[in-house]
């Protein structure tokens, strides 16, 4: 079982898991453009030197996750051994990111193909290019705070050392704040099919809290800043989505896909050479 190199392209906002505690779903691309999902990773329990950012290269030994039937799902043999070995930057108009994400990986343009692929269990991660983004939706969540029963269960298991065997984490760990809103894109694909899919990206959650801070606690003002980012700024670029299915709905939902990240790459500049005409 050898070490693999993966470019991290997806980090979801933390969720509470009865089995694993607070977890982050991570996914990325291998150098050949194939996908891998890495779960579970107790991201915020990793030391600062062990944490990774989007578009970091990481290396680790990964094992097929037999408890998750989705074909790309693996878990690290040791999360603390998942080390950063580089970063893919944005030099030369995002050339290296463009080559891996848009050339080596397959870019999908039709939702019916993605839905059929999930139902056949052929794929659960993808790059998607919308034909048109219609709107960015902010909707109040059904619950503004984590379920108290879930939190109490986590704390009890943590105190017993079941979730956090490290003594330090049992005494200092604080749960991430639950997002009081859900964020979604409504968009049209190449075939004219309109879909509304939730955005579960870590960056969307962090942007919301930063906007609330900037707006001195005003949620309505923060949401206006969110819309400006996801509509005005992102749509001025060649926007793509990182897509994934959730384990719970992979086989059950009519459309099991969610947006796990937004890839707003700058448009490619095409240089043209005007040779003019030859006149005698």
């Amino acid at each position: 079982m050898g070490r693999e190199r993966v470019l991290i392209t997806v980090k979801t906002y933390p969720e509470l898991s009865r089995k694993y505690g607070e977890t982050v779903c991570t996914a990325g691309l291998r150098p050949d453009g194939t996908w891998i999902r890495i779960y579970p990773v107790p991201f915020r329990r990793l030391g600062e030197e062990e944490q990774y950012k989007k578009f970091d290269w990481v290396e680790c030994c990964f094992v097929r996750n037999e408890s998750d039937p989705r074909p790309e799902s693996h878990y690290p043999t040791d999360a603390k051994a998942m080390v950063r070995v580089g970063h893919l930057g944005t030099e030369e108009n995002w050339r290296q990111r463009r080559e891996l994400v848009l050339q080596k990986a397959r870019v999908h343009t039709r939702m019916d193909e993605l839905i059929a692929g999930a139902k056949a269990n052929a794929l659960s991660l993808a790059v998607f290019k919308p034909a048109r983004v219609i709107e960015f939706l902010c909707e109040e969540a059904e619950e503004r705070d984590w379920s108290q029963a879930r939190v109490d269960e986590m704390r009890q298991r943590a105190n017993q050392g079941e979730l956090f065997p490290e003594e330090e984490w049992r005494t200092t760990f604080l749960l991430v704040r639950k997002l009081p809103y859900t964020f979604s894109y409504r968009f049209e694909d190449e075939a004219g099919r309109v879909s509304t899919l939730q955005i579960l990206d870590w960056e969307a959650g962090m942007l919301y809290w930063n906007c609330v801070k900037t707006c001195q606690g005003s949620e309505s003002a923060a949401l206006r800043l969110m819309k400006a980012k996801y509509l005005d700024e992102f749509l001025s670029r060649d926007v793509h989505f990182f897509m994934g299915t959730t384990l719970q709905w992979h086989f059950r939902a009519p459309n099991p896909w969610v947006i796990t990240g937004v890839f707003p790459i700058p448009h490619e500049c095409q240089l043209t050479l005007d040779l003019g005409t030859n006149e005698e």
Side-chain angles (χ1 to χ4, degrees), residues 198-240:
Q198 190 172 346
I199 302 169
L200 301 184
D201 190 13
W202 174 293
E203 290 180 348
M206 291 300 103
L207 176 63
Y208 171 77
W209 293 120
N210 289 336
C211 289
V212 169
K213 183 177 180 180
T214 299
C215 297
Q216 299 180 324
S218 170
E219 292 187 354
S220 58
L223 294 177
R224 286 196 293 271
L225 289 183
M226 290 278 295
K227 287 189 176 183
K229 182 80 169 181
Y230 276 82
L231 285 179
D232 300 337
E233 181 178 335
F234 283 176
L235 298 191
S236 69
R237 298 185 168 205
D238 186 18
V239 69
H240 292 69

Side-chain angles (χ1 to χ4, degrees), residues 30-91:
R30 299 180 179 93
D32 65 357
T34 58
W35 281 98
I36 180 172
R37 177 184 289 103
I38 307 169
Y39 183 86
V41 177
F43 179 77
R44 293 202 310 137
R45 285 167 51 207
L46 298 177
E48 183 176 350
E49 70 282 357
E50 299 163 328
Q51 291 187 3
Y52 47 84
K53 300 177 182 178
K54 287 179 69 171
F55 296 101
D56 276 350
W57 285 106
V58 300
E59 281 188 356
C60 192
C61 294
F62 299 103
V63 178
R64 179 73 178 89
N65 190 343
E66 298 297 340
S67 65
D68 183 343
R70 293 173 295 178
E72 304 93 344
S73 296
H74 293 68
Y75 63 86
T77 54
D78 179 1
K80 288 183 175 293
M82 192 163 66
V83 296
R84 291 179 296 178
V85 293
H87 183 79
L88 210 59
T90 59
E91 299 82 7

Side-chain angles (χ1 to χ4, degrees), residues 9-261:
T9 59
V10 169
K11 272 177 27 184
T12 61
Y13 195 79
E15 287 286 342
L16 300 191
S17 162
R18 285 190 171 89
K19 184 175 182 180
Y20 300 114
E22 187 194 76
T23 59
V24 171
C25 182
T26 301
L29 293 165
R30 299 180 179 93
D32 65 357
T34 58
W35 281 98
I36 180 172
R37 177 184 289 103
I38 307 169
Y39 183 86
V41 177
F43 179 77
R44 293 202 310 137
R45 285 167 51 207
L46 298 177
E48 183 176 350
E49 70 282 357
E50 299 163 328
Q51 291 187 3
Y52 47 84
K53 300 177 182 178
K54 287 179 69 171
F55 296 101
D56 276 350
W57 285 106
V58 300
E59 281 188 356
C60 192
C61 294
F62 299 103
V63 178
R64 179 73 178 89
N65 190 343
E66 298 297 340
S67 65
D68 183 343
R70 293 173 295 178
E72 304 93 344
S73 296
H74 293 68
Y75 63 86
T77 54
D78 179 1
K80 288 183 175 293
M82 192 163 66
V83 296
R84 291 179 296 178
V85 293
H87 183 79
L88 210 59
T90 59
E91 299 82 7
E92 300 179 65
N93 201 37
W94 296 35
R95 179 180 61 82
Q96 290 183 308
R97 293 187 185 184
R98 192 185 304 274
E99 288 175 354
L100 182 55
V101 176
L102 303 184
Q103 296 175 19
K104 291 187 177 180
R106 179 183 175 185
V107 178
H108 296 261
T109 57
R110 297 171 61 107
M111 282 304 305
D112 57 355
E113 293 179 351
L114 288 184
I115 293 170
K119 292 187 179 300
N121 204 30
L123 76 164
S124 65
L125 293 166
V127 182
F128 182 83
K129 169 65 175 171
R132 180 172 68 99
V133 173
I134 301 170
E135 58 183 326
F136 175 76
L137 302 171
C138 308
E139 301 175 290
E140 192 160 1
E142 292 183 5
E143 296 181 345
R144 292 182 63 93
D145 296 303
W146 299 117
S147 161
Q148 191 59 49
R150 179 74 63 86
V151 172
D152 290 344
E153 180 183 358
M154 279 191 59
R155 286 177 176 161
Q156 181 179 6
R157 294 186 61 197
N159 290 335
Q160 295 171 349
E162 295 178 31
L163 289 179
F164 309 141
E166 310 94 332
E167 180 64 31
E168 178 185 357
W169 276 102
R170 291 206 298 274
T171 57
T172 64
F173 186 73
L174 297 175
L175 287 177
V176 69
R177 289 179 291 178
K178 187 180 187 300
L179 290 171
Y181 293 88
T182 62
F183 308 111
S184 306
Y185 264 138
R186 181 174 172 82
F187 60 92
E188 184 177 10
D189 73 358
E190 184 182 65
R193 177 175 180 150
V194 175
S195 303
T196 301
L197 297 184
Q198 190 172 346
I199 302 169
L200 301 184
D201 190 13
W202 174 293
E203 290 180 348
M206 291 300 103
L207 176 63
Y208 171 77
W209 293 120
N210 289 336
C211 289
V212 169
K213 183 177 180 180
T214 299
C215 297
Q216 299 180 324
S218 170
E219 292 187 354
S220 58
L223 294 177
R224 286 196 293 271
L225 289 183
M226 290 278 295
K227 287 189 176 183
K229 182 80 169 181
Y230 276 82
L231 285 179
D232 300 337
E233 181 178 335
F234 283 176
L235 298 191
S236 69
R237 298 185 168 205
D238 186 18
V239 69
H240 292 69
F241 301 153
F242 293 124
M243 306 270 279
T245 68
T246 61
L247 178 60
Q248 179 182 6
W249 300 108
H250 179 69
F251 291 112
R252 300 167 56 190
N255 184 350
W257 292 89
V258 296
I259 299 170
T260 54

